[in-house]
Amino acid sequence: MFEILDDDGAVINVIASDLAFVEQHYPGRYREIVAIEPATGSDHGTIITRAAFRSRFTQAEKIAIELAGLDDPSAAIEARSQAAAIRTYQKDVDAAEFIDLTDPATAGGVQALEAAGLLAAGRAAEILTDPVQWSELPSNMQQSMPA
């Protein structure tokens, strides 16, 4: 996963691609999204429900993300593209059966929200690496794990 940057270094898109493609089409205007490893010592794994994932964001963060996802037809194409990327990521989360905190798409999406200024510095790492609590597990996994 790569963040595509504008001339000022602001993220305007997030894409899944190989390095050769990105270098050819976006020379000097990208950065790789590095997957964040989960915190050690968590014995509940990295799979959580969509509701648990949403609960890892503060109310202010959720509002900022919702507002940033609104389309403004009069805005520049870069702003519209960023809003579309946010909406697309939200739809992907909504469509998921569960959220894997180590999945590159999950990490990339959360890191893109931080890069866009919708999350404070360091929040992406907190959201992705805080140990999974038993209550965050999908019910079928709760049945097979002690609390």
Side-chain angles (χ1 to χ4, degrees), residues 13 19 24 31 33 55 57 74 77 100-101 104 111 115 119 126 128 136:
N13 201 359
L19 181 59
Q24 178 182 1
R31 64 179 168 228
I33 298 173
S55 293
F57 294 84
S74 65
I77 192 67
D100 182 347
L101 298 171
Q111 290 168 338
L119 303 175
E126 289 176 14
L128 295 167
E136 294 181 299

Side-chain angles (χ1 to χ4, degrees), residues 57-124:
F57 294 84
T58 67
Q59 185 69 7
E61 290 168 343
K62 289 185 262 190
I63 290 169
I65 293 164
E66 287 290 326
L67 289 173
L70 296 175
D71 186 32
D72 178 1
S74 65
I77 192 67
E78 293 83 11
R80 295 189 75 192
S81 292
Q82 184 174 2
I86 291 168
R87 289 191 309 276
T88 300
Y89 179 68
Q90 287 176 312
K91 287 180 181 181
D92 290 345
V93 169
D94 290 344
E97 184 177 340
F98 57 83
I99 303 297
D100 182 347
L101 298 171
T102 60
D103 184 294
T106 301
V110 176
Q111 290 168 338
L113 295 173
E114 183 176 300
L118 301 173
L119 303 175
R123 280 290 292 141

